[in-house]
Amino acid sequence: MNSPQSDAENLLTPSEVAALFRVDPKTVTRWAKAGKIGSIRTLGGHRRFRESEVMDLLGENGS
């Protein structure tokens, strides 16, 4: 039986994305506001980023 989480996309926080890019979390937020990276808003208004998109931007998906 599949758990609901296994089918869902992994989401990263701005801090996690910032650590991958070695920038400040505020920089990641500015990128999202400028449309340079896609983000999802939680019900509480926090930004989350799709792990697959972040890895594509980093060039780590082998594509």
Side-chain angles (χ1 to χ4, degrees):
M1 182 182 288
N2 287 342
S3 68
Q5 190 67 5
S6 66
D7 294 335
E9 173 85 37
N10 284 336
L11 299 176
L12 303 175
T13 65
S15 294
E16 292 169 331
V17 175
L20 292 170
F21 282 100
R22 297 182 181 171
V23 298
D24 191 83
K26 290 285 186 185
T27 301
V28 176
T29 300
R30 282 194 299 270
W31 290 346
K33 286 181 181 178
K36 295 181 180 182
I37 185 171
S39 67
I40 298 169
R41 290 290 192 134
T42 66
L43 293 176
H46 300 280
R47 290 186 192 274
R48 295 294 182 261
F49 302 89
R50 288 183 179 88
E51 184 178 34
S52 60
E53 182 180 351
V54 171
M55 292 304 158
D56 284 344
L57 290 171
L58 283 170
E60 294 185 5
N61 267 355
S63 44

